Amino acid sequence: MNGKIQKCIEQIYVNKDFNYFKRSCKKEYKFIEELQLLANTVCSKLYLESVIHSPTVDMRFVFEDYEQDIYCVHYQTILKISKLADMFYLQHEFCVENKDPNRMTPVLDGFGGEPYTKTQYKVEEQITRILENNKMEKIEFNELDEVVGSLEMLPNSILGKQMTVELALFHDAYGIND
């Protein structure tokens, strides 16, 4: 596990520094405006969710659909910023209407840490540059599912039975801000 991730998890969950958690959740970032300007130049829509008591800033960059004949692909890129660890990750997504008459689902979709289009790639580069210039560190997509073995989830948690890096850094899994 990345040292920065481990240090943040220890501070909050092992040392029970819940005041750090609460203070971090109140952070506001000036670079959000720069990300919004970027989205205005390359995206058809931008959805921003930044709740004052949330440990995360969520942004969804929606791109123009690609259409050819009956084929249409929807693309978007999700950016999540952890206010707790000053880290971020990017998730690229696509969705295609399933025209197969023998289909089981109405859409074919996928997501991952790698871009599906050149536009997503360019946006990822620009987002990464903006965030790294503001002392943010990128966490790789596959690191999010790493289990934090030293921590247990609360009984009957709707978030699952195991604490992961994503839950620890991007969610209020223990209800600290309740």
Side-chain angles (χ1 to χ4, degrees):
M1 181 180 301
N2 172 313
K4 186 175 184 179
I5 294 171
Q6 191 167 7
K7 182 179 176 186
C8 183
I9 288 172
E10 284 177 13
Q11 181 174 0
I12 295 168
Y13 300 101
V14 177
N15 299 335
K16 301 195 183 319
D17 188 352
F18 298 144
N19 285 328
Y20 171 80
F21 185 98
K22 290 176 182 181
R23 279 191 317 275
S24 296
C25 288
K26 293 179 182 175
K27 285 182 189 175
E28 293 184 28
Y29 297 115
K30 292 181 181 181
F31 59 77
I32 296 297
E33 291 176 13
E34 194 173 350
L35 293 169
Q36 289 172 311
L37 289 172
L38 168 63
N40 289 339
T41 63
V42 294
C43 297
S44 59
K45 291 181 183 167
L46 172 70
Y47 298 95
L48 169 64
E49 183 178 325
S50 179
V51 180
I52 194 163
H53 295 292
S54 173
T56 307
V57 174
D58 291 310
M59 298 181 85
R60 184 164 40 117
F61 297 79
V62 179
F63 302 96
E64 292 291 329
D65 293 345
Y66 174 78
E67 295 185 56
Q68 185 176 15
D69 301 323
I70 64 168
Y71 177 75
C72 180
V73 187
H74 311 283
Y75 295 104
Q76 63 182 13
T77 296
I78 307 296
L79 168 64
K80 290 190 175 277
I81 301 169
S82 170
K83 296 177 185 178
L84 305 176
D86 289 333
M87 299 186 89
F88 69 96
Y89 78 89
L90 290 158
Q91 174 176 298
H92 301 285
E93 301 178 351
F94 73 91
C95 180
V96 180
E97 184 179 347
N98 188 353
K99 303 275 186 181
D100 186 335
N102 198 28
R103 68 183 170 263
M104 295 289 289
T105 63
V107 296
L108 303 171
D109 58 3
F111 64 90
E114 298 298 320
Y116 295 101
T117 67
K118 291 177 184 175
T119 304
Q120 283 180 316
Y121 176 79
K122 290 175 185 174
V123 166
E124 178 174 337
E125 281 187 321
Q126 292 174 322
I127 289 170
T128 301
R129 179 187 50 77
I130 291 167
L131 294 177
E132 287 179 348
N133 285 343
N134 283 278
K135 309 287 188 255
M136 291 280 169
E137 186 177 320
K138 185 175 185 182
I139 182 172
E140 293 302 322
F141 188 75
N142 60 345
E143 291 178 279
L144 296 172
D145 286 333
E146 188 175 341
V147 174
V148 183
S150 61
L151 299 178
E152 292 184 21
M153 292 298 293
L154 296 175
N156 303 319
S157 172
I158 62 170
L159 298 174
K161 295 184 187 264
Q162 294 183 313
M163 178 66 83
T164 62
V165 168
E166 180 179 4
L167 291 174
L169 299 184
F170 293 88
H171 298 273
D172 187 358
Y174 283 6
I176 296 168
N177 274 329
D178 289 344

